[in-house]
């Protein structure tokens, strides 16, 4: 009996949040590092299926860096690096597409479908979803402070997003699962950072929220202490100062981008924590670092 009451109280407690997100689009970025284990993947699938069931419109964008690295190693594909960043050549982009749009995309869609919602996996190439252009990347030489342009090969960034295929799926109560690969105007395939894709998609759909699941509790400060909330200005300062680094840079930049395009809140949170998505959306406490204007 006590259990039943507790369960009802949980449902009642979620009511204001259910109303708030009813029929709203929530974009969820599922990081390659947060999706390693089978149990984590199934739990993620159940969370997304529950969102769909209670009337939220989730849109999932996934990464897959670790899975790509494993396949490159298996195939014995050699990598070249500039300033520690991997260059993507034609052979590598073929492996990227095979892993992201094949294995990983289907796994994510299946884990949601198995949990009882319908999910369909697509890449940025399907339905003209993402037109990409070559990304340019600059680094400052620490000695001279001179900006240097790096050529990372077939790494792209979204130039435009055509949301028609997403609107069709959302309208039919199907959860779109997006692999971060895009195509240039000339037909060239580009590998795009999944964080960047989720920001572009959230912006184009005017999403209510964007959640970025990763393998750390959120943004950590210079002393590795968790930051519950930060402003766009503070986030920019962290990147400039260097304590926001590596894979956290595209995440934070994407949150800033999404907020500037009207997304109401962008959160970076730990996808390994059970039910991170539901806790963030349906409880008072929230779960990760909220970036706000
Ligand atoms: P994902 O697969 O989720 O995109 P990434 O490895 O690309 O994961 O990015 C997350 C990583 O960013 C963390 O595991 C951490 O090593 C690194 N990182 C760099 N700076 C920070 C910071 N200030 N706070 C948290 N993580 C950081
Ligand atoms: Mg990353």
């Amino acid at each position: 009996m006590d259990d039943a009451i507790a369960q009802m109280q949980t449902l009642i407690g979620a009511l204001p949040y259910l109303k708030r997100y009813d029929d709203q689009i929530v974009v969820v970025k599922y990081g390659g590092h947060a999706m390693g284990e089978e149990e984590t993947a199934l739990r993620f699938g159940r969370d997304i299926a529950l969102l769909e069931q209670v009337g939220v419109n989730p849109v999932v964008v996934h990464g897959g860096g670790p899975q790509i690295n494993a396949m490159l190693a298996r195939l014995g594909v050699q990598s070249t690096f500039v300033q520690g960043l991997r260059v993507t050549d034609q052979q590598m982009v073929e492996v990227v597409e095979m892993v992201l749009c094949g294995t990983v995309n289907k796994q994510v869609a299946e884990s949601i479908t198995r949990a009882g919602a319908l999910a369909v996996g697509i890449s940025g190439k399907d339905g003209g979803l993402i037109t990409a252009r070559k990304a340019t990347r600059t680094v400052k030489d620490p000695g001279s402070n001179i900006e240097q342009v790096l050529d990372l090969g077939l790494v792209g960034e979204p130039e435009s997003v055509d949301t028609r295929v997403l609107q069709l799926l959302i309208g039919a109560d199907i959860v779109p699962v997006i692999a971060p690969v895009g195509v240039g105007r000339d037909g060239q395939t580009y590998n795009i950072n999944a964080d960047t894709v989720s920001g572009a998609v959230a912006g184009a759909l005017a999403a209510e929220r964007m959640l970025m699941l990763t393998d750390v509790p959120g943004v950590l400060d210079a002393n590795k202490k968790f930051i519950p909330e930060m402003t766009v200005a503070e986030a920019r300062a962290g990147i400039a100062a260097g304590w926001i680094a590596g894979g956290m840079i595209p995440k934070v930049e994407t949150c800033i981008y999404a907020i500037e395009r009207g997304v109401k809140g962008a959160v970076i949170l730990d996808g390994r924590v059970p039910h991170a998505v539901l806790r963030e959306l349906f409880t008072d406490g929230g779960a990760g670092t909220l970036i706000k204007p």
Side-chain angles (χ1 to χ4, degrees):
M1 190 57 196
D2 286 355
D3 275 3
I5 290 172
Q7 221 169 5
M8 292 312 115
Q9 276 166 347
T10 309
L11 271 175
I12 297 288
L15 189 57
Y17 300 100
L18 293 174
K19 283 183 120 158
R20 172 163 166 205
Y21 293 113
D22 187 36
D23 222 17
Q24 301 290 334
I25 293 173
V26 174
V27 173
V28 183
K29 151 75 196 319
Y30 190 32
H33 288 104
M35 53 197 224
E37 315 236 311
E38 166 92 3
E39 186 48 40
T40 320
L42 290 176
R43 227 162 23 207
F44 174 79
R46 284 198 291 269
D47 284 7
I48 298 297
L50 187 130
L51 286 187
E52 178 65 35
Q53 193 57 49
V54 299
V56 181
N57 298 316
V59 173
V60 176
V61 179
H62 63 81
Q67 292 80 354
I68 292 167
N69 289 342
M71 185 55 78
L72 289 172
R74 242 167 91 182
L75 297 175
V77 175
Q78 296 296 322
S79 301
T80 49
F81 293 86
V82 285
Q83 307 259 4
L85 296 168
R86 178 152 47 207
V87 178
T88 304
D89 60 15
Q90 184 59 39
Q91 190 191 16
M92 198 166 293
V93 90
E94 283 172 28
V95 176
V96 166
E97 186 168 25
M98 178 174 99
V99 173
L100 289 182
C101 310
T103 318
V104 177
N105 185 260
K106 300 311 146 195
Q107 267 170 6
V108 176
E110 193 274 333
S111 69
I112 299 166
T113 303
R114 199 188 323 172
L118 287 183
V120 165
I122 58 174
S123 88
K125 286 186 174 181
D126 294 289
L129 177 59
I130 298 167
T131 304
R133 62 173 168 237
K134 190 175 158 76
T136 51
R137 183 74 187 253
T138 57
V139 286
K140 258 195 193 133
D141 179 68
S144 61
N145 227 17
I146 292 171
E147 288 232 331
Q148 190 191 349
V149 179
L150 300 181
D151 188 350
L152 297 181
L154 300 172
V155 176
E157 60 191 15
E159 183 179 84
S160 60
V161 177
D162 184 334
T163 61
R164 279 177 295 175
V165 68
L166 299 180
Q167 302 286 5
L168 273 174
L169 292 171
I170 294 167
D173 294 330
I174 295 170
V175 180
V177 176
I178 303 169
V181 165
V183 63
R185 296 187 183 284
D186 55 357
Q188 174 64 56
T189 303
Y190 287 99
N191 177 15
I192 313 176
N193 182 286
D195 301 337
T196 315
V197 168
S198 72
V201 166
L205 288 171
E208 176 76 11
R209 280 212 161 216
M210 183 174 72
L211 308 183
M212 312 201 94
L213 304 189
T214 184
D215 64 348
V216 282
V219 183
L220 309 178
D221 69 14
N223 301 314
K224 302 270 174 249
K225 208 171 145 274
F226 169 72
I227 306 172
E229 270 188 30
M230 67 196 307
T231 63
V232 165
E234 286 164 350
R236 285 215 174 93
I239 294 174
W243 52 264
I244 293 177
M248 196 48 70
I249 295 177
K251 267 180 237 310
V252 169
E253 283 179 340
T254 298
C255 291
I256 295 173
Y257 170 93
I259 286 166
E260 287 176 343
R261 260 151 207 79
V263 176
K264 304 257 170 52
V267 183
I268 298 171
L269 66 163
D270 195 340
R272 302 164 308 171
V273 171
H275 310 300
V277 172
L278 302 183
R279 276 161 72 163
E280 177 58 38
L281 292 176
F282 296 144
T283 67
D284 296 323
T289 301
L290 173 70
I291 301 189
K292 50 182 197 179

